[in-house]
Amino acid sequence: MNMKKMIAVFLMVAMMIVSLAGCNSGGSSSGGAETDTYRVAFVARTQADSFAAWLVNEMKSAAEQYPDLTLDVFDGQADDEKVNAAIENAITNGYDAIIVQPNNGEAQRPYVESIVEAGIIAITTNARIEGIDGASSVDADPYVQAKVNADIAIDQIPQNAKVVVLNGPSGNFHADERRRAWEVEFFEKRPDVQIVGEQIAGWNKDEAVRYMEDWVTANSEIHAIISMNDNMAAGALEVVKNNPALSDILSYGVDGTPEATLLINEGTMTSTCLQSAIDLAEANISTVHKLLTGEEDEIHMDIDAILITGENAQAYVDMYTERGLIN
């Protein structure tokens, strides 16, 4: 073989090696087979309240079921500026998908729109932000969540009762819709019931404790606590737990947290609506995987709203115990 032919053969082999190296670059491989790894950011509203913390843990567990997906969690600390900054950082860092749990839907709206504009998959969850073209959503119906409680409260709360109301953050889709459901499904049907205290406690147990202390001081009778989530209901119940005059107080919440199921099971709390962080997390991760792999272009879905009372609370206590959420 002359020198020109040897050079030509050498160049051909070199080109083949470079080509093969290029085919194996990008993504991760296992046993020689190439697989894409998708990077997903979950911007959590906060990890300080019980439901939000539960959702974070379930999101991590659900993501572990998908070997081609990694999940990073960012804590918004119930602060719009921190939530928005986390979204901006996730966009800058080039995540393949960003799941946002809004602190205040309207405050996060332009930032979620920026996710879509950047060509990144966007999902809003707990609560969804309506009307963002190109964004998907995974949520529960907050009106129904409150309605299932209001439907039984109609017969449970006595005539001419005095009640207190604990609200979530103003402008939050879940907070506003749950309060609207109580108005339509209960207060309009029970005009005899008097609201003697109503405040925004922002889903926060400590805030609920503070307001309930004031209401107990100002009112000799309170027949029911109507709360837009379990965390606030649990806080209000702490205030009255050693008060024999309020030992029969009724209390309603939403989320179906481990704490709430224990309180219901022991007869301290009346009812809650399950907003399963397990189902919500599994739906979010399944949805983002379908969007990333191109199985779907856009998805909007709600999980079920299940009423928990003294009749079925033990089943949920058992479930949480098995998952290590109740000792």
Side-chain angles (χ1 to χ4, degrees):
M1 183 181 295
N2 61 36
M3 183 61 68
K4 288 184 179 180
K5 288 184 177 180
M6 288 178 67
I7 292 171
V9 170
F10 175 77
L11 290 173
M12 185 179 299
V13 171
M15 289 174 68
M16 288 175 66
I17 292 171
V18 170
S19 176
L20 287 170
C23 288
N24 285 316
S25 64
S28 61
S29 62
S30 177
E34 180 192 358
T35 60
D36 291 324
T37 300
Y38 302 105
R39 297 171 61 239
V40 179
F42 175 42
V43 180
R45 185 184 70 81
T46 180
Q47 295 189 59
D49 88 41
S50 55
F51 180 80
W54 178 27
L55 180 58
V56 166
N57 290 334
E58 294 299 339
M59 291 283 280
K60 291 176 181 177
S61 296
E64 290 173 357
Q65 306 306 310
Y66 293 82
D68 58 345
L69 187 151
T70 62
L71 180 75
D72 295 322
V73 176
F74 302 92
D75 188 352
Q77 300 176 41
D79 183 306
D80 284 337
E81 290 186 5
K82 291 179 180 177
V83 172
N84 295 340
I87 295 170
E88 288 184 317
N89 289 336
I91 294 171
T92 301
N93 288 323
Y95 279 87
D96 299 302
I98 303 172
I99 303 171
V100 177
Q101 181 190 23
N103 184 58
N104 177 335
E106 290 311 302
Q108 274 75 72
R109 180 181 294 276
Y111 293 87
V112 176
E113 290 173 342
S114 295
I115 299 172
V116 177
E117 290 166 5
I120 297 170
I121 288 167
I123 299 174
T124 59
T125 189
N126 188 240
R128 68 164 46 92
I129 304 174
E130 299 274 10
I132 299 179
D133 291 340
S136 295
S137 64
V138 177
D139 204 3
D141 187 329
Y143 189 97
V144 175
Q145 290 175 330
K147 183 181 184 302
V148 295
N149 283 296
D151 287 345
I152 63 169
I154 286 282
D155 295 323
Q156 291 176 336
I157 293 179
Q159 286 292 311
N160 303 312
K162 295 179 179 180
V163 304
V164 295
V165 179
L166 290 159
N167 292 316
S170 178
N172 179 281
F173 175 61
H174 275 220
D176 293 347
E177 281 296 287
R178 290 173 192 171
R179 182 61 183 86
R180 185 173 74 87
W182 272 102
E183 190 64 33
V184 173
E185 305 295 341
F186 180 79
F187 289 112
E188 290 182 6
K189 297 175 182 179
R190 289 290 307 275
D192 59 292
V193 174
Q194 180 186 0
I195 298 174
V196 296
E198 180 166 8
Q199 288 288 350
I200 293 171
W203 307 135
N204 188 279
K205 180 183 282 189
D206 292 338
E207 286 290 294
V209 167
R210 183 165 63 85
Y211 290 128
M212 192 64 183
E213 287 173 341
D214 292 342
W215 293 332
V216 169
T217 301
N219 298 276
S220 59
E221 286 186 313
I222 299 175
H223 298 96
I225 300 161
I226 295 173
S227 177
M228 303 309 122
N229 84 336
D230 291 341
N231 210 36
M232 298 185 294
L237 286 169
E238 283 183 9
V239 176
V240 303
K241 66 182 178 182
N242 296 318
N243 187 334
L246 297 172
S247 60
D248 294 329
I249 196 168
L250 302 169
S251 181
Y252 307 89
V254 172
D255 283 337
T257 61
E259 180 180 24
T261 60
L262 282 170
L263 290 171
I264 293 169
N265 203 40
E266 69 184 28
T268 302
M269 188 169 169
T270 310
S271 70
T272 185
C273 176
L274 178 64
Q275 178 173 248
S276 172
I278 300 167
D279 293 346
L280 199 61
E282 290 175 352
N284 266 292
I285 299 303
S286 173
T287 293
V288 78
H289 193 262
K290 289 175 182 177
L291 296 170
L292 285 165
T293 57
E295 185 177 336
E296 300 280 353
D297 294 326
E298 189 171 322
I299 298 172
H300 299 280
M301 66 170 295
D302 285 333
I303 61 171
D304 293 334
I306 300 169
L307 182 68
I308 300 176
T309 68
E311 294 181 359
N312 62 350
Q314 184 64 56
Y316 293 95
V317 170
D318 292 344
M319 178 192 74
Y320 290 134
T321 301
E322 289 173 6
R323 297 182 75 89
L325 296 171
I326 294 176
N327 295 326

